[in-house]
Amino acid sequence: MIDKHYKISQQITYRGMIWLLAAQLVVMLPFAFFLPIWLIPVMLVATYWRIRVIKGNAAQPKLLLNLFILALGVAGIWVSGMRLLSLDAMVSLLLLGFAFKSLEVIRQRDALVVVFIGYFLVAVGFLFSQSILAGAYGVVALIILTAALIANQQSSAQQLSQNATRSNLGLSTMMLFQCLPLMILVFVFMPRFSPLWVIPSFESQAKTGVTDTITPGDIANLAKSDELAFRVSFKGQRPAQHELYWRGLVLNNFDGKSWQQLDNAYDSFELGMYYDQHMPWSETNITQQGEPLEYDVIYEKTGQPWLFTLTPSLTLDKQVKQLGDYRIMAKNDVVTPFLLNAKTYPNAKRDLNLGEQTRRLALALPSRGDNKTREAAKQWRAESASDEDYVNKVMTRFTEKEYYYTLKPPLLGNSNTIDKFLFESQRGFCVHYAGSFVYLMRAAGIPARMVVGYLGGEWNEAGQYLAVRQYDAHAWAEVWIKGQGWKRYDPTGMVSPSRVESGLEEALSHEGSFLEGQFFSAQKFEWLDGIRKKMDSIQYGWRRWVLGYDSESQANLLQTILNKMSSIPLAALVGALFIGIFLFWFVMLGLLKRQRYESYEHQLYRKFCKRLAKHGIIREQQQTPSEFAVIASSQWPEKSDTIRSFSLIYQQICYVDNADQAHDQSFKKMRQLLSELR
């Protein structure tokens, strides 16, 4: 039976507004990690202003003031440097409207608009992060939003109940829990269709990781970050650490300071077209040798199309593009976690016959500069019996001379950088060594190119996968040898073998520069390392089995089920699942129905009777409040005024239709009278 005093008030109550503002803050908070952080103070100011309005200490903002505030918000987004048609700008505008909406919430229907926008923003948040923590936070946000929705449909008496907050949160949680079985069933069996539209990505500033133009300091900066790049699980035996060269980009052009893919500025689409026309992908250029290696990779979002694989990778997903220089590209920028299944032949020979276009790119040098290196290359090549002998001579030089591997090399300026590194500073990072090595090869007329990507990775024993992070970024060289094709050479390994065999941390142990800018990095504290690996293992499982559950995974699961079951048992299983869900709902709804609500005035009167009972004044079940007040006053004359006043107020609330605001004053008076009976 519905309490006769419960009614849907058009005017939003103070407690309902507090619930609404709390829900807004919870929804907006995670966006501070991805969008301008000043959006949160804007929300707090709007909240403070709205509370003052409810208390009567400030006036409701007028139309012109609302427009002025909105204009300031739009100007703030523009000053923040976001493009007008970008995802970040659109979401920021939506968040501004969400925050400012609280200033004009007067009626319950206004509160409904805010709650429904909040639901939409919870979903939008997964465009920025799809981690397991983001999923858990999204569930919390849904619970609080639903609790705010419930609170704004309650009367003032219900909101003032002592257990109102707990009751609202409990009911909200129970509603979500009731939806869980159907959510799982829909997730597993609902067909997955390609989206009818996608959100365009304009955020160049969101690009992370290895880029298509490299100067020596770029990879050194990446080496100071422990951000995850991708995770790999192998189908079979894991290769040795020194064999894990994750190829990303091939850089052919050197302008005297930086390395880039080509001598012109190409975007990812134009680059793919260029390689299709001049150096198309062909499996006939590969001579397969040895056993293949199969593995799965889950890439983190980078805003770039580059994917990192072992070379050469032959069996790949249809969503990727293979280029003639053996790099792998996604057909679109990687803006969400990306799963790739690949197969590689580590011992295969590549390009035994070198194309003319590829040869030209692999021999290109600037027209001037680094004369000392050019002369040295000619002299050393004349002293060598073959190209391979010359390559080994240059590699040996890095061990014979006093070269050092460091994250803190001296600056080389803008000209003659190869000369200064090879013959003066002799201190550098992998790009210094790979770049100077490729230059020496080309100066001697031997085709060579720089390859950038990642080397090695950290094995997670709990999850049985390899985690590759930004500090694993690396650069090495490829040299074309007649009769052998492209061969990998890593001059960094000659200077610092521990970088190739054991990783960056051990290679830099002598100077202590590994992750020096991150004091609380888990790699620096042994007690944090185990926790980090366990959390990372859980996150990997989430990415692989939840985010990676696509149409192909669903088809494989259904095919497995269909192969094991005939049509009749399968139909019976599906029917049983749905029947089970409906039975679960009926049981839960029946349990909820038993939880009868007790109005706040009845709760206070029950306390009133208990306090009188402690003094021996017992209320009989058939006695009305008026009759009991007369009897209690006669038995406790010192408190007769208090007893009569409390009973009178209680009866007025029960039988007189007063406004909610009047009820608030009555409840306050009843609590004061109760305190006098202690």
PDB file of all heavy atoms in Angstrom, residues 49 153 204 244 259 268 280-281 287 290 301 361 390 504 529 572 600 643 654 670:
ATOM      1  N   TRP A  49      26.897  27.378  -5.981  1.00  0.00           N
ATOM      2  CA  TRP A  49      25.907  28.394  -6.335  1.00  0.00           C
ATOM      3  C   TRP A  49      24.488  27.827  -6.181  1.00  0.00           C
ATOM      4  O   TRP A  49      23.600  28.464  -5.626  1.00  0.00           O
ATOM      5  CB  TRP A  49      26.151  28.866  -7.765  1.00  0.00           C
ATOM      6  CG  TRP A  49      25.392  30.117  -8.137  1.00  0.00           C
ATOM      7  CD1 TRP A  49      24.353  30.695  -7.466  1.00  0.00           C
ATOM      8  CD2 TRP A  49      25.632  30.931  -9.280  1.00  0.00           C
ATOM      9  NE1 TRP A  49      23.915  31.820  -8.111  1.00  0.00           N
ATOM     10  CE2 TRP A  49      24.684  31.994  -9.232  1.00  0.00           C
ATOM     11  CE3 TRP A  49      26.517  30.879 -10.335  1.00  0.00           C
ATOM     12  CZ2 TRP A  49      24.631  32.966 -10.213  1.00  0.00           C
ATOM     13  CZ3 TRP A  49      26.466  31.855 -11.310  1.00  0.00           C
ATOM     14  CH2 TRP A  49      25.550  32.889 -11.242  1.00  0.00           C
ATOM     15  N   GLN A 153      12.410  11.114  -6.628  1.00  0.00           N
ATOM     16  CA  GLN A 153      11.019  10.698  -6.754  1.00  0.00           C
ATOM     17  C   GLN A 153      10.389  10.440  -5.390  1.00  0.00           C
ATOM     18  O   GLN A 153       9.282   9.925  -5.298  1.00  0.00           O
ATOM     19  CB  GLN A 153      10.930   9.422  -7.606  1.00  0.00           C
ATOM     20  CG  GLN A 153      11.475   9.573  -9.003  1.00  0.00           C
ATOM     21  CD  GLN A 153      10.757  10.649  -9.797  1.00  0.00           C
ATOM     22  OE1 GLN A 153       9.527  10.711  -9.812  1.00  0.00           O
ATOM     23  NE2 GLN A 153      11.519  11.505 -10.452  1.00  0.00           N
ATOM     24  N   SER A 204      45.704  14.986 -32.876  1.00  0.00           N
ATOM     25  CA  SER A 204      47.112  14.697 -33.102  1.00  0.00           C
ATOM     26  C   SER A 204      47.890  14.722 -31.806  1.00  0.00           C
ATOM     27  O   SER A 204      48.878  14.019 -31.644  1.00  0.00           O
ATOM     28  CB  SER A 204      47.705  15.720 -34.084  1.00  0.00           C
ATOM     29  OG  SER A 204      47.575  17.032 -33.564  1.00  0.00           O
ATOM     30  N   LEU A 244      63.530 -10.874 -29.575  1.00  0.00           N
ATOM     31  CA  LEU A 244      62.253 -10.165 -29.592  1.00  0.00           C
ATOM     32  C   LEU A 244      62.430  -8.728 -30.098  1.00  0.00           C
ATOM     33  O   LEU A 244      62.366  -7.757 -29.350  1.00  0.00           O
ATOM     34  CB  LEU A 244      61.635 -10.175 -28.194  1.00  0.00           C
ATOM     35  CG  LEU A 244      61.282 -11.561 -27.651  1.00  0.00           C
ATOM     36  CD1 LEU A 244      60.825 -11.470 -26.201  1.00  0.00           C
ATOM     37  CD2 LEU A 244      60.197 -12.223 -28.502  1.00  0.00           C
ATOM     38  N   TRP A 259      65.726  11.236 -38.578  1.00  0.00           N
ATOM     39  CA  TRP A 259      65.373  10.164 -39.510  1.00  0.00           C
ATOM     40  C   TRP A 259      63.858  10.134 -39.665  1.00  0.00           C
ATOM     41  O   TRP A 259      63.114  10.288 -38.704  1.00  0.00           O
ATOM     42  CB  TRP A 259      65.851   8.812 -38.983  1.00  0.00           C
ATOM     43  CG  TRP A 259      67.342   8.634 -39.058  1.00  0.00           C
ATOM     44  CD1 TRP A 259      68.258   9.024 -38.133  1.00  0.00           C
ATOM     45  CD2 TRP A 259      68.067   8.033 -40.128  1.00  0.00           C
ATOM     46  NE1 TRP A 259      69.526   8.702 -38.550  1.00  0.00           N
ATOM     47  CE2 TRP A 259      69.449   8.078 -39.779  1.00  0.00           C
ATOM     48  CE3 TRP A 259      67.718   7.446 -41.342  1.00  0.00           C
ATOM     49  CZ2 TRP A 259      70.456   7.574 -40.596  1.00  0.00           C
ATOM     50  CZ3 TRP A 259      68.716   6.937 -42.156  1.00  0.00           C
ATOM     51  CH2 TRP A 259      70.058   7.007 -41.795  1.00  0.00           C
ATOM     52  N   SER A 268      49.540   8.662 -42.932  1.00  0.00           N
ATOM     53  CA  SER A 268      49.548   7.201 -42.940  1.00  0.00           C
ATOM     54  C   SER A 268      48.879   6.634 -44.191  1.00  0.00           C
ATOM     55  O   SER A 268      49.349   5.646 -44.765  1.00  0.00           O
ATOM     56  CB  SER A 268      48.864   6.670 -41.683  1.00  0.00           C
ATOM     57  OG  SER A 268      47.531   7.133 -41.604  1.00  0.00           O
ATOM     58  N   PRO A 280      55.348  -2.863 -53.448  1.00  0.00           N
ATOM     59  CA  PRO A 280      54.167  -3.600 -52.964  1.00  0.00           C
ATOM     60  C   PRO A 280      54.557  -4.842 -52.177  1.00  0.00           C
ATOM     61  O   PRO A 280      55.622  -5.431 -52.375  1.00  0.00           O
ATOM     62  CB  PRO A 280      53.443  -3.966 -54.264  1.00  0.00           C
ATOM     63  CG  PRO A 280      54.519  -3.997 -55.296  1.00  0.00           C
ATOM     64  CD  PRO A 280      55.483  -2.917 -54.905  1.00  0.00           C
ATOM     65  N   TRP A 281      53.647  -5.216 -51.259  1.00  0.00           N
ATOM     66  CA  TRP A 281      53.858  -6.421 -50.450  1.00  0.00           C
ATOM     67  C   TRP A 281      53.686  -7.664 -51.323  1.00  0.00           C
ATOM     68  O   TRP A 281      52.786  -7.759 -52.137  1.00  0.00           O
ATOM     69  CB  TRP A 281      52.853  -6.448 -49.311  1.00  0.00           C
ATOM     70  CG  TRP A 281      52.704  -7.805 -48.684  1.00  0.00           C
ATOM     71  CD1 TRP A 281      51.705  -8.708 -48.902  1.00  0.00           C
ATOM     72  CD2 TRP A 281      53.602  -8.423 -47.769  1.00  0.00           C
ATOM     73  NE1 TRP A 281      51.909  -9.833 -48.174  1.00  0.00           N
ATOM     74  CE2 TRP A 281      53.080  -9.695 -47.460  1.00  0.00           C
ATOM     75  CE3 TRP A 281      54.794  -8.032 -47.177  1.00  0.00           C
ATOM     76  CZ2 TRP A 281      53.693 -10.573 -46.590  1.00  0.00           C
ATOM     77  CZ3 TRP A 281      55.407  -8.897 -46.303  1.00  0.00           C
ATOM     78  CH2 TRP A 281      54.869 -10.152 -46.020  1.00  0.00           C
ATOM     79  N   THR A 287      61.624 -16.188 -48.470  1.00  0.00           N
ATOM     80  CA  THR A 287      62.006 -17.599 -48.515  1.00  0.00           C
ATOM     81  C   THR A 287      61.853 -18.169 -47.107  1.00  0.00           C
ATOM     82  O   THR A 287      62.643 -17.865 -46.206  1.00  0.00           O
ATOM     83  CB  THR A 287      63.458 -17.766 -48.994  1.00  0.00           C
ATOM     84  OG1 THR A 287      63.616 -17.132 -50.276  1.00  0.00           O
ATOM     85  CG2 THR A 287      63.814 -19.245 -49.103  1.00  0.00           C
ATOM     86  N   GLY A 290      62.654 -22.841 -41.376  1.00  0.00           N
ATOM     87  CA  GLY A 290      62.407 -23.119 -39.969  1.00  0.00           C
ATOM     88  C   GLY A 290      60.930 -23.180 -39.633  1.00  0.00           C
ATOM     89  O   GLY A 290      60.050 -23.079 -40.488  1.00  0.00           O
ATOM     90  N   LYS A 301      45.868   1.851 -27.111  1.00  0.00           N
ATOM     91  CA  LYS A 301      45.536   2.907 -28.068  1.00  0.00           C
ATOM     92  C   LYS A 301      46.677   3.928 -28.129  1.00  0.00           C
ATOM     93  O   LYS A 301      47.254   4.315 -27.113  1.00  0.00           O
ATOM     94  CB  LYS A 301      44.229   3.595 -27.689  1.00  0.00           C
ATOM     95  CG  LYS A 301      44.222   4.304 -26.345  1.00  0.00           C
ATOM     96  CD  LYS A 301      42.886   4.959 -26.121  1.00  0.00           C
ATOM     97  CE  LYS A 301      42.865   5.739 -24.814  1.00  0.00           C
ATOM     98  NZ  LYS A 301      41.590   6.408 -24.561  1.00  0.00           N
ATOM     99  N   LEU A 361      66.200   4.109 -52.100  1.00  0.00           N
ATOM    100  CA  LEU A 361      65.904   4.646 -50.778  1.00  0.00           C
ATOM    101  C   LEU A 361      66.949   4.220 -49.745  1.00  0.00           C
ATOM    102  O   LEU A 361      67.294   4.989 -48.844  1.00  0.00           O
ATOM    103  CB  LEU A 361      64.522   4.173 -50.321  1.00  0.00           C
ATOM    104  CG  LEU A 361      63.308   4.810 -51.002  1.00  0.00           C
ATOM    105  CD1 LEU A 361      62.026   4.132 -50.538  1.00  0.00           C
ATOM    106  CD2 LEU A 361      63.243   6.306 -50.713  1.00  0.00           C
ATOM    107  N   TYR A 390      83.027  -5.771 -44.333  1.00  0.00           N
ATOM    108  CA  TYR A 390      82.979  -4.357 -43.949  1.00  0.00           C
ATOM    109  C   TYR A 390      81.980  -4.136 -42.805  1.00  0.00           C
ATOM    110  O   TYR A 390      82.246  -3.408 -41.850  1.00  0.00           O
ATOM    111  CB  TYR A 390      82.593  -3.511 -45.159  1.00  0.00           C
ATOM    112  CG  TYR A 390      82.288  -2.062 -44.828  1.00  0.00           C
ATOM    113  CD1 TYR A 390      83.298  -1.172 -44.483  1.00  0.00           C
ATOM    114  CD2 TYR A 390      80.974  -1.589 -44.864  1.00  0.00           C
ATOM    115  CE1 TYR A 390      83.017   0.154 -44.175  1.00  0.00           C
ATOM    116  CE2 TYR A 390      80.676  -0.270 -44.567  1.00  0.00           C
ATOM    117  CZ  TYR A 390      81.703   0.596 -44.215  1.00  0.00           C
ATOM    118  OH  TYR A 390      81.424   1.901 -43.912  1.00  0.00           O
ATOM    119  N   LEU A 504      66.636  -2.648 -20.507  1.00  0.00           N
ATOM    120  CA  LEU A 504      67.155  -1.302 -20.290  1.00  0.00           C
ATOM    121  C   LEU A 504      67.589  -1.063 -18.850  1.00  0.00           C
ATOM    122  O   LEU A 504      68.581  -0.371 -18.596  1.00  0.00           O
ATOM    123  CB  LEU A 504      66.082  -0.277 -20.690  1.00  0.00           C
ATOM    124  CG  LEU A 504      66.502   1.186 -20.651  1.00  0.00           C
ATOM    125  CD1 LEU A 504      67.575   1.463 -21.676  1.00  0.00           C
ATOM    126  CD2 LEU A 504      65.291   2.086 -20.897  1.00  0.00           C
ATOM    127  N   ASP A 529      56.345  -4.476  -7.026  1.00  0.00           N
ATOM    128  CA  ASP A 529      56.454  -5.156  -8.305  1.00  0.00           C
ATOM    129  C   ASP A 529      55.472  -6.319  -8.404  1.00  0.00           C
ATOM    130  O   ASP A 529      54.836  -6.523  -9.439  1.00  0.00           O
ATOM    131  CB  ASP A 529      57.894  -5.642  -8.505  1.00  0.00           C
ATOM    132  CG  ASP A 529      58.179  -5.989  -9.955  1.00  0.00           C
ATOM    133  OD1 ASP A 529      57.896  -5.140 -10.816  1.00  0.00           O
ATOM    134  OD2 ASP A 529      58.663  -7.100 -10.229  1.00  0.00           O
ATOM    135  N   ALA A 572      16.709 -26.038 -26.029  1.00  0.00           N
ATOM    136  CA  ALA A 572      16.318 -26.240 -24.631  1.00  0.00           C
ATOM    137  C   ALA A 572      17.219 -25.461 -23.686  1.00  0.00           C
ATOM    138  O   ALA A 572      16.757 -24.880 -22.694  1.00  0.00           O
ATOM    139  CB  ALA A 572      16.361 -27.733 -24.302  1.00  0.00           C
ATOM    140  N   TYR A 600       8.702   8.498   7.860  1.00  0.00           N
ATOM    141  CA  TYR A 600       9.586   9.055   8.880  1.00  0.00           C
ATOM    142  C   TYR A 600       8.814   9.434  10.144  1.00  0.00           C
ATOM    143  O   TYR A 600       9.297   9.263  11.270  1.00  0.00           O
ATOM    144  CB  TYR A 600      10.323  10.261   8.302  1.00  0.00           C
ATOM    145  CG  TYR A 600      11.411  10.800   9.199  1.00  0.00           C
ATOM    146  CD1 TYR A 600      12.366   9.960   9.751  1.00  0.00           C
ATOM    147  CD2 TYR A 600      11.475  12.159   9.499  1.00  0.00           C
ATOM    148  CE1 TYR A 600      13.368  10.439  10.564  1.00  0.00           C
ATOM    149  CE2 TYR A 600      12.478  12.660  10.318  1.00  0.00           C
ATOM    150  CZ  TYR A 600      13.419  11.796  10.843  1.00  0.00           C
ATOM    151  OH  TYR A 600      14.423  12.266  11.656  1.00  0.00           O
ATOM    152  N   ILE A 643       4.592  15.441  25.981  1.00  0.00           N
ATOM    153  CA  ILE A 643       3.873  14.296  25.426  1.00  0.00           C
ATOM    154  C   ILE A 643       2.707  14.758  24.559  1.00  0.00           C
ATOM    155  O   ILE A 643       2.492  14.266  23.443  1.00  0.00           O
ATOM    156  CB  ILE A 643       3.383  13.376  26.560  1.00  0.00           C
ATOM    157  CG1 ILE A 643       4.587  12.745  27.269  1.00  0.00           C
ATOM    158  CG2 ILE A 643       2.441  12.302  26.017  1.00  0.00           C
ATOM    159  CD1 ILE A 643       4.224  11.982  28.533  1.00  0.00           C
ATOM    160  N   CYS A 654      -0.094  13.241  10.069  1.00  0.00           N
ATOM    161  CA  CYS A 654      -0.803  12.080   9.537  1.00  0.00           C
ATOM    162  C   CYS A 654      -2.126  12.443   8.865  1.00  0.00           C
ATOM    163  O   CYS A 654      -2.493  11.838   7.849  1.00  0.00           O
ATOM    164  CB  CYS A 654      -1.069  11.069  10.650  1.00  0.00           C
ATOM    165  SG  CYS A 654       0.414  10.242  11.272  1.00  0.00           S
ATOM    166  N   MET A 670       9.568  17.589  16.351  1.00  0.00           N
ATOM    167  CA  MET A 670       9.382  16.270  16.961  1.00  0.00           C
ATOM    168  C   MET A 670      10.697  15.722  17.509  1.00  0.00           C
ATOM    169  O   MET A 670      10.731  15.121  18.594  1.00  0.00           O
ATOM    170  CB  MET A 670       8.795  15.292  15.942  1.00  0.00           C
ATOM    171  CG  MET A 670       7.331  15.583  15.573  1.00  0.00           C
ATOM    172  SD  MET A 670       6.721  14.512  14.243  1.00  0.00           S
ATOM    173  CE  MET A 670       6.583  12.952  15.129  1.00  0.00           C
TER     174      MET A 670
END
